[in-house]
Every structure is written in C-alpha cells, then in structure tokens.
Amino acid sequence: MGVARNLFYRQGIRAIGVDEIVRQAGVTKPSLYRSFSSKDELAATYLRAYEVEFWERFDQAVAAHPGDPRSQIRAFLTRVGHRAVQPDYRGCGMTNAAIEYPEHGHPARLVGEANKRELRRRLRAMAAEMGAEDADTLGDGLLLLIEGAYVSGQLFGPGGPAASVAENADRLIAASLKAR
C-alpha cells in the first residue's frame, strides 16, 4: 500500500497504472488483486488511510486548545500552511482525487466528498461556538481558505501564499466576530 500511496499522491491516481504499482512494490498482479478487488478500490483504500491521518492532525489541533475554537483553527492552519509550502507538496490527496474523478459515485471521489462535508460541518460548528453572527458563512470561508492553501501550495511552493493561511483565517474570523 505504501508504494501505491506514494505514487498516487506524487503523480495522481489516474496517471499510475497497476503495472507500475506492482513493479515498484515487487509484487505480482494476482497478489495485488487478492488484497484489492480493483484499482478503484486500491485508490479508495489509499484515501481512507489518508483521511485517518487528516483527522488525526485536525484532532491534535483541537485537543491542544480545549474550548478555544479560534486557536484550534489557527493551530490546524498553521500546520497546513507550513506543509503547503514544502517543495514536494502535492496538495490534499482527497481534493486531488475529487478533481481526477468527476464521476459522482466513484469510490475514490466518495471518500473525498465525505471528508469535505465533515470538515465543512466541523468548521461551521466551530464558527458557531466562537459566536459568529453568520457561522455557516464563516465556516464556508474557512473551508475555502483551506482548499485555496492546498492548491496554491502546489502552484507557488516555498514563499507562496499558503504560508499565510492561518493569518488570513484569523483575520476572517476577527471580521466575522466584529459584525456581531
């Protein structure tokens, strides 16, 4: 799975064939297909593992600042901003998969869609907990900043705008709380 994960993340799921995965992993196609019924299922498995790590990072930021959603968001986005300007950064694997697979119902896309819906729900709830007058709009704005960091990190790399995602989120939060 590690070989497939690295190839999928670095080059894209559709760009990598099963032949390349088995060649680099040093396994046979039959052994791969004993574990995964299809390449689509392998891709979905990769994304489910990716998602576990995503929520671990998110939950670590939340746990570090109990009862303080603004600090929780800032901590999470500070890490996102740091990762997104690394030279080898390829964005969010789930966002990339949603772009690669426009077909609704594709196993890989379903994982990414569920993750993004849950992230949106959590951000809206955190915005409400902060007391934002329009918590849904603030939560959606934070989600847009996050997705923008994922994409701009790939475009600009080191020195790019993704490094300031936490600061921009904090300013958006401040503006949303002043409206009260």
Side-chain angles (χ1 to χ4, degrees):
M1 183 53 161
V3 169
R5 177 191 170 109
N6 186 50
L7 289 169
F8 287 162
Y9 183 73
R10 296 281 164 230
Q11 298 179 37
I13 298 168
R14 285 191 180 213
I16 295 300
V18 171
D19 290 337
E20 182 65 12
I21 294 168
V22 298
R23 186 186 69 72
Q24 287 199 28
V27 299
T28 63
K29 277 188 186 181
S31 66
L32 178 76
Y33 286 121
R34 274 193 292 277
S35 298
F36 305 98
S37 60
S38 66
K39 181 184 170 192
D40 289 346
E41 184 51 38
L42 176 61
T45 300
Y46 146 66
L47 290 170
R48 286 190 286 273
Y50 189 100
E51 182 180 32
V52 167
E53 294 171 10
F54 173 89
W55 288 122
E56 285 173 355
R57 289 188 302 272
F58 189 91
D59 292 341
Q60 286 171 355
V62 169
H65 302 279
D68 185 355
R70 188 172 182 174
S71 293
Q72 293 165 349
I73 290 169
R74 185 164 183 95
F76 176 69
L77 292 181
T78 296
R79 289 182 70 186
V80 167
H82 176 74
R83 272 192 335 275
V85 295
Q86 299 304 306
D88 62 345
Y89 186 71
R90 286 279 299 127
C92 173
M94 292 174 288
T95 298
N96 295 345
I99 293 166
E100 281 192 75
Y101 291 98
E103 309 89 20
H104 296 284
H106 187 282
R109 184 181 177 95
L110 291 173
V111 176
E113 285 179 356
N115 172 269
K116 302 306 177 179
R117 276 194 292 280
E118 176 60 13
L119 179 58
R120 183 181 190 207
R121 185 197 67 74
R122 289 188 190 194
L123 292 170
R124 285 175 158 200
M126 293 167 92
E129 189 179 343
M130 281 185 263
E133 184 176 320
D134 187 348
D136 288 351
T137 298
L138 174 56
D140 287 351
L142 293 168
L143 180 62
L144 290 170
L145 283 172
I146 292 167
E147 292 297 323
Y150 294 153
V151 173
S152 70
Q154 294 184 67
L155 294 171
F156 295 96
S164 65
V165 67
E167 177 63 29
N168 281 296
D170 202 48
R171 289 177 184 210
L172 180 62
I173 291 167
S176 297
L177 298 180
K178 281 185 198 173
R180 293 177 50 217

